[in-house]
Amino acid sequence: KQEVTQIPAALSVPEGENLVLNCSFTDSAIYNLQWFRQDPGKGLTSLLLIQSSQREQTSGRLNASLDKSSGRSTLYIAASQPGDSATYLCAVQYNTDKLIFGTGTRLQVFP
Amino acid sequence: SAVISQKPSRDICQRGTSLTIQCQVDSQVTMMFWYRQQPGQSLTLIATANQGSEATYESGFVIDKFPISRPNLTFSTLTVSNMSPEDSSIYLCSVLAGGGYEQYFGPGTRLTVT
């Protein structure tokens, strides 16, 4: 069964810290992996997409890495800010086009 | 990228009634997806809707409960039928864009069934 797990489930940190969010998946034959941000009661905002042939992607203070062989991806957030507070979801796409979502990491950054 | 809008943004409905949710995309897309997010949970795919063919439903979801229409390449509707409190969720539509690799999501419809 294809499953996606994220740890930690929740994280509370002071402003300015560098963070690592983890995502693991059971079936390594992925097509791509996508990281999303979800604010409370809102839809999803795509942050980064890593295709299966890539090792990492960067956007501003965000860096996502992918290790297919070990079934892992990490999202690195540099110099965290209160505006980064949200739930972060990773989702894996296999060749069926649908996304399988992880359980999410709820992040709170306090001033 | 793709810009997606959904209507309504939220609704409170009586049990036993039905609600139709609309999803509009600013560009033509082949595949559209409908997801459900129950309170405190992650997203679960309900069905995939391709224009010109019947929607494909995931295990645990049936057409009688969640009928879907896809009349053209920019629009889809999801109906939640004969609602019960267990249907209280956020319903989101999404599309594949960006060369078919990246998924974009609408803002969601927050449904509360009383």
Side-chain angles (χ1 to χ4, degrees):
Chain A
K1 183 181 178 183
Q2 296 165 335
E3 294 182 341
V4 181
T5 305
Q6 292 182 244
I7 55 172
L11 188 59
S12 182
V13 300
E15 181 176 10
E17 282 206 2
N18 299 323
L19 308 173
V20 176
L21 309 183
N22 298 291
C23 173
S24 61
F25 42 94
T26 55
D27 183 348
S28 62
I30 69 171
Y31 189 64
N32 62 43
L33 184 145
Q34 206 165 342
W35 282 93
F36 294 91
R37 167 186 173 138
Q38 185 175 33
D39 293 284
K42 304 292 186 182
L44 276 66
T45 301
S46 179
L47 298 174
L48 290 165
L49 169 74
I50 310 178
Q51 296 182 33
S52 61
S53 60
Q54 298 173 323
R55 299 278 300 182
E56 65 179 336
Q57 283 287 336
T58 298
S59 176
R61 294 183 293 108
L62 304 180
N63 175 275
S65 66
L66 174 64
D67 184 344
K68 278 181 55 178
S69 61
S70 66
R72 294 173 189 249
S73 175
T74 60
L75 179 66
Y76 178 82
I77 303 176
S80 59
Q81 303 171 358
D84 294 330
S85 299
T87 295
Y88 291 80
L89 295 163
C90 76
V92 175
Q93 182 182 344
Y94 295 96
N95 59 7
T96 57
D97 291 325
K98 71 177 184 181
L99 289 178
I100 299 175
F101 279 84
T103 46
T105 294
R106 190 169 65 255
L107 172 65
Q108 182 179 9
V109 181
F110 53 89
Chain B
S1 66
V3 178
I4 304 169
S5 60
Q6 287 185 233
K7 290 182 182 179
S9 58
R10 59 176 58 223
D11 207 342
I12 301 173
C13 301
Q14 301 276 352
R15 71 169 64 211
T17 63
S18 298
L19 176 71
T20 296
I21 302 168
Q22 299 178 7
C23 178
Q24 179 77 51
V25 189
D26 69 341
S27 58
Q28 294 184 338
V29 294
T30 302
M31 301 183 75
M32 296 180 75
F33 306 88
W34 287 98
Y35 288 83
R36 180 176 74 180
Q37 186 176 29
Q38 294 178 301
Q41 304 293 316
S42 191
L43 280 75
T44 302
L45 181 66
I46 297 171
T48 302
N50 291 335
Q51 194 269 337
S53 63
E54 294 287 327
T56 302
Y57 289 83
E58 297 297 306
S59 175
F61 298 97
V62 295
I63 187 171
D64 290 346
K65 175 68 175 177
F66 297 101
I68 289 172
S69 76
R70 183 78 201 275
N72 57 52
L73 291 174
T74 63
F75 187 79
S76 178
T77 66
L78 169 75
T79 299
V80 186
S81 303
N82 188 24
M83 288 184 284
S84 67
E86 292 71 35
D87 294 320
S88 297
S89 299
I90 299 176
Y91 292 85
L92 302 105
C93 70
S94 75
V95 303
L96 271 177
Y101 297 117
E102 195 163 356
Q103 280 208 16
Y104 296 88
F105 282 78
T109 295
R110 179 182 287 273
L111 171 62
T112 302
V113 183
T114 61

